[in-house]
Amino acid sequence: MTQLQSFAALGDSFTEGVGDPAADGGGCRGWADRFAEHLAAREPRLRYANLAIRGKLLTEVLDEQVPPAVEMGADLVSIAAGGNDLLRPSTDPDDLAVTLETAVVALTKVGSTVMVFTGFDPKAFPVLRLIRGKSAVLTMHVREIAARYHCLITDLWTMRILTDRRLWTPDRLHLTPDGHRRVALLACEVAGLAPGADWRAPLQVTAPTSGFVGQAATWAAARWNDVEWVFEHAAPYLSRRLHGVSSGDGVVPKRPELTALQPVAARPVLRSPSLAGLSQPTRR
């Protein structure tokens, strides 16, 4: 088996690592960094790039991130995007599938193995579950594209543990550090690696509130959390959209080039098929 020597990650805040702060307090870590660390444990010469930027739409990933990734010609390229698109009422998941397939075709043409991601099942959240139907349709397309182009597929939809709200930050859009850790473990499983931990491991059980009064208090607290979410997270998001502003405006990729995996210096946030049997790809 030819050793995997390079990995490039493309996408939005999910792959940038929002919700999983870096240990030095600057920037994000995230599932892709964690996955790269597992790869580097197997191949110390691994070179890693992360072009993902928060707030990006799938067409922006295609236009801005795929071309440099094509030039890099990494052995493995992950692409996870579309969530920001689905939050827009007019988005058609069939159109998103066409964009994703265009990206996959461009990457596979230069010999890269592509890892794609389905969306997670949003049924756990009262408002986000409204996009569940569109997310399911896009997930179906992702699976078909993966089969057509022999992609690795990290299926977040079937990752039922992600329906546990404790794995999500208060904005309900980004994973906590433990959520990112578990996605990295699933990616390792998909890639045929043995990371030494299981993403299925249950979270610590919390004691249920007993009695009618206790249950009513729990229900009331949950509804108040929903109200807080609307004012603190949903409303600002809608305001940005109305004004044509993205959370990723002015943000630069944290690892714009394929470089040896090592701690990345903190950067300010600026505003203004299994790998087993993988043959050495042909480079352009």
Side-chain angles (χ1 to χ4, degrees):
M1 181 185 75
T2 301
Q3 200 70 35
L4 179 70
Q5 296 185 355
S6 54
F7 166 51
L10 317 182
D12 52 29
S13 59
F14 170 64
T15 299
E16 184 186 346
V18 174
D20 185 11
D24 60 8
C28 307
R29 191 181 181 194
W31 78 265
D33 284 16
R34 293 170 179 270
F35 175 60
E37 290 163 9
H38 285 291
L39 294 175
R42 180 172 180 170
E43 175 48 75
R45 296 172 297 174
L46 179 82
R47 294 178 301 139
Y48 166 48
N50 190 319
L51 306 181
I53 293 178
R54 65 195 68 181
K56 291 299 181 182
L57 302 174
L58 186 52
T59 53
E60 293 174 321
V61 173
L62 173 63
D63 294 339
E64 301 168 12
Q65 299 177 25
V66 170
V70 167
E71 290 300 318
M72 291 176 189
D75 296 335
L76 176 66
V77 179
S78 69
I79 179 167
N84 292 315
D85 300 83
L86 291 176
L87 292 173
R88 298 186 172 197
S90 62
T91 298
D92 185 337
D94 296 336
D95 294 337
L96 291 181
V98 173
T99 303
L100 177 62
E101 184 169 8
T102 301
V104 169
V105 168
L107 293 165
T108 56
K109 276 187 175 179
V110 295
S112 296
T113 295
V114 178
M115 175 183 285
V116 294
F117 285 71
T118 70
F120 74 94
D121 185 348
K123 71 177 182 179
F125 300 112
V127 177
L128 291 179
R129 72 165 64 110
L130 296 174
I131 67 168
R132 194 181 187 211
K134 293 197 298 184
S135 185
V137 171
L138 182 57
T139 289
M140 175 192 69
H141 283 303
V142 171
R143 290 170 180 161
E144 291 177 348
I145 292 169
R148 193 176 305 132
Y149 297 97
H150 308 290
C151 300
L152 303 181
I153 179 169
T154 304
D155 197 337
L156 303 182
W157 188 275
T158 59
M159 197 177 178
R160 289 305 176 193
I161 199 165
L162 290 186
T163 60
D164 191 314
R165 295 189 182 194
R166 291 174 292 175
L167 291 177
W168 295 89
T169 59
D171 68 8
R172 305 180 181 180
L173 296 174
H174 300 106
L175 292 170
T176 63
D178 190 35
H180 280 282
R181 181 187 69 85
R182 290 171 186 268
V183 170
L185 293 176
L186 175 57
C188 286
E189 183 177 291
V190 170
L193 304 180
D198 190 352
W199 60 265
R200 303 169 187 81
L203 279 69
Q204 184 176 358
V205 177
T206 55
T209 304
S210 59
F212 174 78
V213 174
Q215 292 174 7
T218 299
W219 182 90
R223 300 296 71 75
W224 179 247
N225 286 338
D226 291 340
V227 172
E228 287 185 322
W229 175 80
V230 169
F231 283 100
E232 294 181 14
H233 301 288
Y237 170 83
L238 292 174
S239 177
R240 288 197 301 272
R241 286 291 174 238
L242 289 173
H243 292 87
V245 177
S246 169
S247 59
D249 288 346
V251 179
V252 297
K254 62 181 179 180
R255 299 186 68 99
E257 304 289 342
L258 286 172
T259 56
L261 186 62
Q262 55 190 358
V264 182
R267 293 181 173 84
V269 175
L270 306 176
R271 311 279 184 188
S272 309
S274 168
L275 293 180
L278 178 64
S279 59
Q280 185 66 30
T282 301
R283 298 285 179 253
R284 260 199 327 200

